[in-house]
Amino acid sequence: SVFYKKIMFFAKAVILTSLFMVIAVLLVLGLAYDGFEDDAKEAVLSALSIMIAAIPIALPLVLQVNMALGAAYLAKVHNAIVTSIPALQDIASMSILCSDKTGTLTTAKMSIIPDSVFVADDFERCDVLLFASLCSNPDKKDDPIDRAVLQAFEADEAGKEKLKDMEYKQESVIGFNPEVKRTVGFVSDKNGKTWTIAKGLPAKVLDTTAG
């Protein structure tokens, strides 16, 4: 994480500073006080003791313990469960947080406004809701898009009347694929005709070269 990188940079700076201090101690003890001539071993041990004491070897462990205590505090006091300590470190290093509002700052409950539905020539708004419902999976109650489509269709009497007249029957549905960005449904009618209905990103619905 960014926070961990900053801590490691600080640790490296401390180590480099201690290295310069060791060199200075050796020069002072060895040259100014004739430490090399009297007892070279003692001068070297004194310098090494300063360097070992200056290395923050336990710093990462102390930080992890503090982060764990902070995560426990967030869970108890603010009801915020931290599943990743590095993520908590990244958030602590942020100055500006840009967040997607759908499902993050809201409840992710979508709804369809029938009056705002765009239709092409020879089609009606109820046709869009009808075909969209036939391309939705009624078993996926947790899917916000399918749930919104099915709820809008249930309130559309004209669409339900067409469904009854044409005896549309959903044969199978290919779920949403993040690669092709669409859902495909196969529907049969009372005349034995099979319809292929696609719902998803308009560019991917119109262009099927990717699959």
Side-chain angles (χ1 to χ4, degrees):
S1 63
V2 177
F3 179 76
Y4 189 78
K5 290 180 179 178
K6 291 181 179 178
I7 293 300
M8 294 308 297
F9 176 79
F10 172 77
K12 291 178 180 178
V14 171
I15 293 174
L16 289 176
T17 303
S18 64
L19 182 60
F20 286 118
M21 291 178 62
V22 167
I23 296 175
V25 169
L26 282 175
L27 293 176
V28 171
L29 290 178
L31 300 178
Y33 293 94
D34 297 328
F36 292 146
E37 296 180 1
D38 297 337
D39 193 351
K41 184 178 180 180
E42 183 178 355
V44 173
L45 290 177
S46 299
L48 288 177
S49 62
I50 295 175
M51 184 173 184
I52 293 173
I55 295 176
I57 190 172
L59 183 60
L61 178 61
V62 172
L63 289 175
Q64 291 295 329
V65 172
N66 287 334
M67 287 291 178
L69 293 175
Y73 177 81
L74 289 175
K76 291 179 181 178
V77 178
H78 300 285
N79 296 324
I81 300 177
V82 179
T83 59
S84 175
I85 296 297
L88 185 62
Q89 296 173 354
D90 288 335
I91 291 177
S93 303
M94 290 181 184
S95 56
I96 298 176
L97 174 62
C98 299
S99 177
D100 178 17
K101 72 176 186 64
T102 304
T104 304
L105 305 180
T106 63
T107 58
K109 292 183 179 179
M110 300 182 182
S111 61
I112 295 177
I113 303 175
D115 294 337
S116 300
V117 175
F118 171 79
V119 293
D121 296 338
D122 301 328
F123 287 95
E124 300 177 359
R125 290 174 179 172
C126 60
D127 294 328
V128 177
L129 291 177
L130 171 61
F131 292 132
S133 66
L134 292 172
C135 193
S136 302
N137 189 347
D139 296 330
K140 294 178 64 177
K141 302 296 184 181
D142 296 333
D143 188 286
I145 297 178
D146 284 0
R147 182 172 62 245
V149 169
L150 294 174
Q151 288 177 350
F153 176 71
E154 286 297 323
D156 184 27
E157 296 298 331
K160 291 192 288 185
E161 189 68 25
K162 282 192 174 183
L163 176 65
K164 183 178 179 180
D165 292 340
M166 293 299 297
E167 298 180 4
Y168 287 118
K169 180 181 179 182
Q170 187 185 79
E171 300 294 340
S172 62
V173 176
I174 300 177
F176 181 80
N177 187 333
E179 183 176 350
V180 297
K181 295 180 176 59
R182 64 174 175 269
T183 302
V184 179
F186 299 95
V187 179
S188 61
D189 59 17
K190 64 179 181 180
N191 299 321
K193 183 178 178 180
T194 301
W195 297 70
T196 301
I197 307 172
K199 178 185 67 180
L201 187 68
K204 294 294 185 179
V205 172
L206 296 175
D207 184 10
T208 59
T209 56

